[in-house]
Amino acid sequence: MKINKLHLFWEGMKESVRRNPVEAFLAVCFCGLWISMVWVDDRPIWNLLRYAPVVFLLACIFHAQAKWRVMRWFYYLSPLLLIPFYGMSEALVSFPYFFTLLNIQLLYVLATSGKDDWSFTEGTWKYVKSAGIAFVLSLIIWLTLWVITASTSYIFDIWKDDMADLILIAQAIAFAFCLPLLFILFKDVYGEKAMHVGKAFRILMDYVLSPALIVYAVILYLYIGKIVITFELPKGQVAYMVTAFVGFLFMLKGCQSFLEKRNYDWFYRWASWITLPTLALCWTGVAYRINEYGFTEPRVYLVAVVSVLTLMSLFFLVRRLSHYTLTAWSAVALFSILTYIPGITAKDIEAWSQTGRTEPMKETQREEMITIRAQSPVDISGYKQLYLLNSYPEEGNYYQTYRDSLYLYIKDSLVYHNDFSCIFADQLQKAGLSPTDSIPKEKYTELLRLDLDSVTILFENYNVLRTDSGYDVRYMQPKCYLIR
């Protein structure tokens, strides 16, 4: 029986590759590029691979619309879209990148589902299910390859100096090659099947998510009542709470159509009217803070998200509209304008809004440059290997800083990289500090010790600029790399 299932899986994979030749070719390209980081400078390739999901889903979109001749040409030429992303350099975590990923996924669902609410929700569910199962299986493949490699290295005392490269190759096979192929396999499988939900989904909807959402709605309405009575302004983080509430409410409303017995129709049928007061609360807080402090990039995108959710609430007041489709197209249009059109991007709006506020802020804002150095010795017992780091590549074990990011190399192989800001934020959180807290000297040593899964990185110092709004990391100097 198991052999028959494996045979059917293999036959299904071959058929899927035959039906999706460009997607399969892209998987091979992604894998080759990922593996090439073993021998060449990884930074431009890594930035390219970050956009691999965008190129891959674009190919899937063109394929879904291949009945049009121009789309068929775009489909076969889509691997060339990798070229513009080569050498692109930007922060690892950025709003434009996040909203690019969000846009491409919305476009994929729009291209592969119908216009009505049922078809759109079903198409979204099939995409999430295909991507989720493909990712979980790819993660299992990577863990399996890692365990086999590590066990073989440990038992036979081989590959000791090449483990970082072998782990990189295992990641390439699992996430760059297997993940796209598994996605197109499950995409084809679920694309041909009618929507079906199991008992676990019904229990989750009826006994966990829907009751939790109702409780959350009550909390927000109690807070609205408090604001009306005390006549105070909403707290700053309430906007994010409201966007999460409204987003989940309409998502679960769409999922109700898959249930045979709808126990919460009495709640979801009034979704628009329930969300409008909470959105008014959100708009009040957002408008006040923009008026007081101006636009920042996060606030611009927050306004865009709240605008989309407000439109969705209004769309659902008109029964005959294709609510989710209209909302998705509105989101794609608005996010694209704020991300890609020069002069009116979120960054441009931030610069325009803050221009007149820069000088007054300088007069009142306190700035202090702090050098964080170890205040006590560090216990390094229990580690098997220690590599001293310097800034000279010819030594083999070295570090580099590039665009406020840190890169560590052991024996000329990249073993770690991250943004200064991400490293420092994580270290503050581990030390029990918030970004606005003052840092006591007794915490310095703890902040300079970065513990990873099987590795510890010790830093010589951090140079950070403290302002009223938090910390701006200017430089990090790693000292040694310890392997357990």
Side-chain angles (χ1 to χ4, degrees):
M1 180 66 72
K2 289 183 179 179
I3 295 176
N4 288 336
K5 287 183 177 180
L6 288 173
H7 177 72
L8 289 173
F9 179 84
W10 177 247
E11 290 298 319
M13 180 63 76
K14 289 196 295 185
E15 177 64 18
S16 182
V17 169
R18 187 190 66 80
R19 292 167 61 178
N20 303 272
V22 173
E23 291 91 331
F25 175 72
L26 283 171
V28 175
C29 290
F30 299 153
C31 186
L33 287 167
W34 199 312
I35 292 175
S36 70
M37 291 193 291
V38 173
W39 301 284
V40 300
D41 183 11
D42 69 291
R43 281 172 292 185
I45 296 175
W46 174 248
N47 280 317
L48 185 153
L49 287 172
R50 290 174 61 231
Y51 284 92
V54 177
V55 176
F56 182 80
L57 287 178
L58 273 174
C60 293
I61 292 169
F62 295 145
H63 194 185
Q65 302 297 318
K67 60 183 178 180
W68 306 100
R69 180 175 295 181
V70 64
M71 289 297 181
R72 202 175 305 129
W73 277 106
F74 284 155
Y75 172 63
Y76 288 113
L77 294 175
S78 56
L80 297 177
L81 294 172
L82 287 169
I83 297 174
F85 294 114
Y86 182 78
M88 179 178 289
S89 179
E90 63 179 23
L92 185 63
V93 179
S94 66
F95 284 101
Y97 177 71
F98 172 80
F99 280 94
T100 297
L101 288 181
L102 179 60
N103 269 350
I104 196 64
Q105 292 177 89
L106 288 173
L107 286 172
Y108 174 83
V109 174
L110 287 166
T112 55
S113 60
K115 294 181 179 180
D116 60 281
D117 288 347
W118 163 270
S119 300
F120 184 90
T121 309
E122 185 182 37
T124 303
W125 175 252
K126 288 179 177 179
Y127 166 69
V128 171
K129 194 172 183 179
S130 302
I133 294 175
F135 176 78
V136 170
L137 290 177
S138 299
L139 184 62
I140 294 171
I141 291 170
W142 176 70
L143 290 173
T144 303
L145 292 173
W146 180 79
V147 168
I148 291 172
T149 304
S151 300
T152 304
S153 174
Y154 178 77
I155 292 172
F156 297 103
D157 290 321
I158 57 176
W159 305 334
K160 294 291 186 181
D161 297 331
D162 300 319
M163 278 303 297
D165 293 342
L166 293 174
I167 291 173
L168 186 70
I169 293 171
Q171 290 172 341
I173 294 171
F175 297 115
F177 182 70
C178 293
L179 178 57
L181 292 182
L182 289 169
F183 175 77
I184 60 175
L185 170 65
F186 292 115
K187 170 179 71 73
D188 290 345
V189 169
Y190 292 124
E192 296 171 357
K193 292 183 178 180
M195 178 64 188
H196 173 73
V197 296
K199 185 178 180 180
F201 180 85
R202 292 193 292 272
I203 292 174
L204 185 66
M205 287 292 298
D206 287 345
Y207 298 101
V208 180
L209 296 179
S210 293
L213 198 66
I214 292 172
V215 171
Y216 204 81
V218 171
I219 293 171
L220 286 177
Y221 269 81
L222 288 174
Y223 184 64
I224 292 173
K226 176 190 173 186
I227 287 177
V228 172
I229 294 171
T230 60
F231 202 68
E232 64 182 19
L233 288 166
K235 294 182 178 180
Q237 301 301 315
V238 169
Y240 299 100
M241 296 168 63
V242 170
T243 54
F245 167 72
V246 176
F248 273 106
L249 176 58
F250 283 107
M251 181 180 71
L252 297 183
K253 177 182 172 66
C255 292
Q256 290 296 301
S257 57
F258 301 137
L259 301 175
E260 294 179 4
K261 186 178 180 181
R262 304 177 188 178
N263 297 321
Y264 292 93
D265 257 4
W266 59 269
F267 176 70
Y268 290 106
R269 117 170 20 105
W270 302 101
S272 288
W273 296 108
I274 292 171
T275 58
L276 287 176
T278 64
L279 287 168
L281 172 72
C282 180
W283 278 116
T284 302
V286 170
Y288 171 76
R289 278 161 182 81
I290 291 174
N291 182 61
E292 288 293 311
Y293 310 113
F295 278 103
T296 60
E297 187 179 23
R299 286 197 191 109
V300 173
Y301 279 114
L302 176 62
V303 168
V305 171
V306 177
S307 299
V308 169
L309 294 176
T310 304
L311 282 174
M312 182 161 58
S313 294
L314 296 176
F315 289 153
F316 270 94
L317 293 176
V318 183
R319 290 188 177 182
R320 296 188 179 183
L321 292 179
S322 300
H323 310 102
Y324 291 112
T325 301
L326 281 172
T327 302
W329 278 118
S330 301
V332 169
L334 186 54
F335 298 156
S336 297
I337 291 171
L338 295 175
T339 305
Y340 311 120
I341 299 182
I344 54 174
T345 65
K347 272 287 187 187
D348 294 325
I349 294 173
E350 178 186 55
W352 164 78
S353 177
Q354 296 297 332
T355 297
R357 303 174 184 266
T358 303
E359 292 305 319
M361 287 177 64
K362 282 183 178 178
E363 294 175 3
T364 59
Q365 189 172 22
R366 294 171 296 171
E367 294 185 352
E368 178 187 6
M369 183 64 73
I370 302 173
T371 300
I372 298 176
R373 296 184 183 276
Q375 302 296 305
S376 59
V378 178
D379 181 13
I380 60 172
S381 59
Y383 292 92
K384 296 178 180 178
Q385 289 179 295
L386 181 149
Y387 296 96
L388 293 176
L389 301 168
N390 55 55
S391 58
Y392 306 107
E394 57 270 14
E395 297 292 331
N397 306 321
Y398 61 98
Y399 67 89
Q400 291 182 339
T401 57
Y402 179 75
R403 292 183 179 271
D404 296 331
S405 294
L406 177 68
Y407 297 81
L408 300 186
Y409 295 83
I410 301 297
K411 297 184 178 179
D412 293 319
S413 296
L414 179 71
V415 294
Y416 178 78
H417 71 90
N418 205 346
D419 291 349
F420 290 165
S421 57
C422 293
I423 296 172
F424 195 67
D426 289 343
Q427 293 299 93
L428 283 176
Q429 185 177 8
K430 290 177 184 177
L433 300 170
S434 73
T436 55
D437 290 340
S438 59
I439 304 175
K441 286 194 174 183
E442 55 266 24
K443 292 284 187 179
Y444 282 11
T445 304
E446 184 179 354
L447 290 173
L448 293 167
R449 180 190 180 111
L450 174 59
D451 290 313
L452 305 175
D453 291 337
S454 59
V455 168
T456 293
I457 301 169
L458 298 180
F459 289 85
E460 180 74 26
N461 60 68
Y462 301 151
N463 287 331
V464 296
L465 179 68
R466 185 188 179 191
T467 66
D468 291 339
S469 57
Y471 294 94
D472 180 15
V473 184
R474 297 302 176 91
Y475 188 71
M476 289 184 163
Q477 182 181 351
K479 184 175 184 179
C480 55
Y481 185 85
L482 301 163
I483 301 177
R484 293 184 178 86

